[in-house]
């Protein structure tokens, strides 16, 4: 629990301007730094492969992305790859046609019936609405025999521009 509070604090510190910054350019953060800050307390010794284009995320997109990644990590610890020693997590991205596609791929042995793990709970609803309303995109979750895939299809402009 303490590690999760530290994660939220780290994600929040990424969204807040540093002390003494007055030029108005504060708040933009590296996508890789954001992912590392959120993932760190959840992953422990489990192997996580992160291959993302390290773009500069605007201050207006840092908090929504941090919340989404935090929710994905929390669910993974409860039900997915980060709940099992043999679980695997891979995160990748690509930019194409004004879109930033982020893929979150979990490989794990399912321990629950499919109907229990495929519902839309509060966290999924939060992710879907955040992606749609704040990042001009879509959130698609697909269960596979060996795990789960999530695809975030985001407007490149919405995550790199703004205040």
């Amino acid at each position: 629990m303490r590690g999760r509070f530290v994660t939220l604090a780290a994600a929040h510190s990424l969204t807040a301007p540093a002390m003494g910054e007055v030029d108005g350019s504060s708040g933009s953060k590296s996508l890789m730094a954001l992912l590392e800050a959120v993932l760190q307390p959840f992953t422990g010794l489990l192997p996580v492969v992160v291959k993302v284009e390290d773009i500069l995320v605007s201050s207006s997109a840092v908090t929504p992305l941090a919340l989404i990644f935090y929710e994905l990590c929390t669910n993974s610890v409860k039900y997915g790859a980060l709940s099992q020693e043999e679980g695997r997590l891979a995160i990748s991205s690509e930019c194409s046609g004004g879109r930033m596609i982020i893929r979150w791929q979990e490989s794990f042995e399912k321990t629950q019936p499919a109907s229990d793990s495929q519902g839309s709970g509060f966290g999924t609803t939060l992710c879907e609405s955040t992606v749609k309303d704040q990042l001009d995109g879509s959130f698609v979750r697909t269960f596979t025999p060996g795990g789960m895939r999530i695809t975030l299809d985001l407007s490149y402009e919405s995550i790199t521009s703004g205040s």
Side-chain angles (χ1 to χ4, degrees), residues 7 10-11 13-14 28-41 50 52-57 62 66 69:
T7 299
S13 71
L14 287 173
S28 296
K29 303 296 175 193
S30 147
L31 178 59
M32 184 63 82
L34 177 62
L35 276 167
E36 287 173 353
V38 174
L39 287 168
Q40 191 276 326
V50 180
V52 296
E53 296 189 36
D54 198 17
I55 62 169
L56 194 60
V57 177
V62 170
F69 294 141

Side-chain angles (χ1 to χ4, degrees), residues 56-161:
L56 194 60
V57 177
S58 73
S59 61
S60 62
V62 170
T63 299
L65 282 174
L67 289 171
I68 291 164
F69 294 141
Y70 181 83
E71 180 61 29
L72 296 179
C73 285
T74 300
N75 283 343
S76 184
V77 165
K78 290 186 217 174
Y79 313 111
L82 300 179
S83 70
Q84 303 174 2
E85 286 184 31
E86 58 281 340
R88 301 290 178 261
L89 172 61
I91 304 165
S92 62
S93 73
E94 68 179 83
C95 294
S96 177
R99 308 299 296 174
M100 171 68 129
I101 310 299
I102 300 174
R103 291 183 180 84
W104 178 282
Q105 174 74 45
E106 295 188 40
S107 300
F108 57 90
E109 181 180 321
K110 289 189 181 178
T111 58
Q112 303 177 4
S115 61
D116 291 344
S117 61
Q118 293 183 27
S120 270
F122 174 77
T124 300
T125 302
L126 171 77
C127 289
E128 290 170 342
S129 64
T130 300
V131 167
K132 179 182 174 200
D133 297 340
Q134 297 182 39
L135 303 172
D136 188 23
S138 64
F139 177 95
V140 177
R141 181 177 66 167
T142 307
F143 290 91
T144 65
M148 179 191 67
R149 280 190 309 262
I150 293 174
T151 303
L152 303 170
D153 181 344
L154 310 171
S155 160
Y156 187 82
E157 182 177 343
S158 74
I159 59 175
T160 59
S161 301

